[in-house]
């Protein structure tokens, strides 16, 4: 078993969740953590067992011997942080959304290829067992041709002007944070739509909620509602000519998928409880890729990451929403 030295940039909530999975993966060595202050980096390192810590991202990139870096900083920082790590010869797993727009995304991917390094957006949904089982059912023709997808991701979150979710300068808004999941699901199953209709409630320079409809020339369509203003069940249904699949509440990280025939009779139920907290699957995927010398994941290929970002760019263009630092 190959072992890999990991570093983590950013010490917020998502970094804590990821580090919990990382510390329980036997082929991951917790090499170094980095934050904007030495105090935060030290506290994070001590909590999870990282051997070293750095009070600046540049110092981490230039001095640590981490082979892989997980980037868990705010969206607006992803481009600079990922570029810094790639520039210093480190493989990168960067939280979604990978960047603020398509131009940044394409530059990062091109730079990773130029440097000969592994680079992947941390779209953990695609690496999870239930999602992969759903793809198997569809590829086997068990629901026929897909006609309709309904997937939502909306959580009620009280407004806080200091929270990065609500700050335009941090790349806030629900599209890049939540909407990316149903858009990724739809694109993965149906490809690039022929028509996009979308609307959003814009406040303080970010989308507080949005509604997105993708239509395809063959008649298939996908309906997606996302936001911070109302609480939805956040499940998904993929309906085809022969049957349909439901992904349980919180479809992006569900532990249960159910296959039905066209009459609503249950055909198969797939349940897979997480070994740790669900982030272990993307860690395993990255390790598997490095083991065989791949520079991108077949589960989360660069082409998909770029395509989804283009779709989100189109939605924001329809809303007239642009981030101050893009």
């Amino acid at each position: 078993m190959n072992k890999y030295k990991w570093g983590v940039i950013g010490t917020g909530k998502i970094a804590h969740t990821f580090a919990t999975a990382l510390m329980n993966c036997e082929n991951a060595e917790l090499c170094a953590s980095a934050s904007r202050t030495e105090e935060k980096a030290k506290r994070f390192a001590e909590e999870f067992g990282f051997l070293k810590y750095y009070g600046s991202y540049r110092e981490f990139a230039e001095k640590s011997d981490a082979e892989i870096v997980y980037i868990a900083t705010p969206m607006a920082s992803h481009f600079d942080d990922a570029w810094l790590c790639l520039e210093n010869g480190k493989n990168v797993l960067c939280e979604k959304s990978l960047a603020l727009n398509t131009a940044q995304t394409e530059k990062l991917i091109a730079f990773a290829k130029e440097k000969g390094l592994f680079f992947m957006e941390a779209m953990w949904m695609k690496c999870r067992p239930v999602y992969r089982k759903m793809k198997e059912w569809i590829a086997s023709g068990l629901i026929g041709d897909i006609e309709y997808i309904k997937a939502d991701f909306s959580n009620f979150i009280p407004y806080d002007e200091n929270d990065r979710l609500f700050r335009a300068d941090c790349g806030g808004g629900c599209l890049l944070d939540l909407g990316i999941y149903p858009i990724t699901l739809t694109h993965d199953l149906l490809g690039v739509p022929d028509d996009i209709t979308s609307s959003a409630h814009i406040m303080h320079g970010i989308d507080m909620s949005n509604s997105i409809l993708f239509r395809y020339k063959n008649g298939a369509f996908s309906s997606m509602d996302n936001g911070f203003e109302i609480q939805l069940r956040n499940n998904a249904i993929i309906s085809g000519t022969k049957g349909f699949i439901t992904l349980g509440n919180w479809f992006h990280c569900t532990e249960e998928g159910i296959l039905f025939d066209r009459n609503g009779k249950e055909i198969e139920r797939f349940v897979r409880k997480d070994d740790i907290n669900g982030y272990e699957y993307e860690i395993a995927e990255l390790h598997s890729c490095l083991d065989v010398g791949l520079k991108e994941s077949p589960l989360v290929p660069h082409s998909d990451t770029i395509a989804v970002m283009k779709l989100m760019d189109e939605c924001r263009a329809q809303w007239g929403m642009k981030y101050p630092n893009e």
Side-chain angles (χ1 to χ4, degrees):
M1 178 186 296
N2 293 323
K3 286 207 168 189
Y4 296 99
K5 296 178 180 179
W6 279 83
V8 172
I9 280 185
T11 54
K13 182 178 178 181
I14 192 68
H16 278 74
T17 305
F18 185 86
T20 298
L22 196 64
M23 69 187 294
N24 287 286
C25 292
E26 59 181 346
N27 53 344
E29 294 183 13
L30 279 63
C31 176
S33 63
S35 187
R36 294 193 182 280
T37 68
E38 188 172 312
E39 179 186 359
K40 287 182 179 179
K42 180 181 180 181
R43 188 163 60 241
F44 189 85
E46 290 175 345
E47 179 177 353
F48 293 102
F50 286 88
L51 298 177
K52 295 182 180 180
Y53 57 88
Y54 298 88
S56 82
Y57 300 156
R58 179 163 294 279
E59 186 180 13
F60 164 87
E62 293 177 349
K63 295 183 179 180
S64 82
D65 57 354
E67 300 168 279
I68 311 167
V69 182
Y70 171 68
I71 295 176
T73 54
M75 235 83 75
S77 303
H78 286 177
F79 180 83
D80 289 339
D81 298 338
W83 191 278
L84 176 64
C85 291
L86 291 168
E87 192 172 40
N88 284 276
K90 302 187 186 303
N91 299 294
V92 171
L93 175 66
C94 184
E95 256 311 325
K96 51 82 203 155
S97 293
L98 184 62
L100 292 180
N101 54 43
T102 303
Q104 288 185 350
T105 300
E106 290 178 332
K107 286 179 182 178
L108 283 175
I109 289 174
F111 190 46
K113 290 180 178 179
E114 177 187 323
K115 300 289 285 186
L117 294 165
F118 182 90
F119 189 55
M120 173 178 157
E121 182 176 46
M123 179 47 70
W124 67 316
M125 175 181 73
K126 283 189 166 185
C127 302
R128 294 179 58 84
V130 172
Y131 189 91
R132 296 178 71 173
K133 173 57 72 173
M134 176 268 295
K135 292 285 297 290
E136 287 179 19
W137 284 336
I138 293 171
S140 298
L142 295 176
I143 67 167
D145 297 326
I146 297 173
E147 297 178 307
Y148 170 68
I149 296 172
K150 176 60 176 171
D152 303 318
F153 203 161
S154 181
N155 298 326
F156 174 69
I157 303 175
Y159 178 75
D160 179 354
E161 63 180 8
N162 297 312
D163 191 322
R164 59 110 184 153
L165 293 174
F166 300 103
R167 291 176 52 181
D169 63 325
C170 289
C174 64
L175 179 67
L176 297 190
D177 198 75
L178 304 181
I180 187 173
Y181 285 107
I183 290 174
T184 294
L185 171 69
T186 297
H187 174 266
D188 200 21
L189 301 183
L190 290 174
V192 176
D194 297 294
D195 179 72
I196 299 175
T197 303
S198 68
S199 61
H201 173 210
I202 306 295
M203 188 172 77
H204 305 298
I206 58 103
D207 58 316
M208 295 291 291
S209 63
N210 64 60
S211 184
I212 302 168
L213 185 67
F214 287 177
R215 289 193 176 276
Y216 297 81
K217 287 181 179 178
N218 66 357
F221 67 102
S222 176
S223 175
M224 300 160 276
D225 292 304
N226 313 286
F228 302 140
E229 297 177 300
I230 58 173
Q231 185 64 53
L232 297 178
R233 293 183 65 187
N234 299 325
N235 53 2
I237 181 169
I238 303 102
S239 185
T241 53
K242 295 181 181 178
F244 62 93
I245 296 167
T246 61
L247 300 178
N249 296 348
W250 309 100
F251 77 89
H252 73 293
C253 61
T254 183
E255 296 178 334
E256 179 180 81
I258 308 175
L259 171 67
F260 299 87
D261 67 16
R262 193 174 181 105
N263 296 316
K265 179 184 177 182
E266 183 176 322
I267 302 300
E268 185 177 348
R269 183 182 296 252
F270 180 80
V271 178
R272 173 66 186 271
K273 299 294 183 182
D274 292 335
D275 296 325
I276 306 172
N277 61 14
Y279 285 78
E280 63 271 23
Y281 305 116
E282 65 180 346
I283 295 170
E285 170 63 11
L286 196 151
H287 287 167
S288 296
C289 289
L290 291 180
D291 284 345
V292 296
L294 294 180
K295 303 303 181 184
E296 66 179 293
S297 163
L299 297 182
V300 192
H302 295 160
S303 57
D304 283 4
T305 298
I306 292 171
V308 168
M309 185 59 72
K310 286 181 178 179
L311 295 173
M312 294 194 295
D313 279 359
E314 172 59 27
C315 290
R316 286 200 295 125
Q318 291 184 7
W319 310 335
M321 176 183 154
K322 188 175 182 179
Y323 292 109
N325 42 357
E326 62 176 324

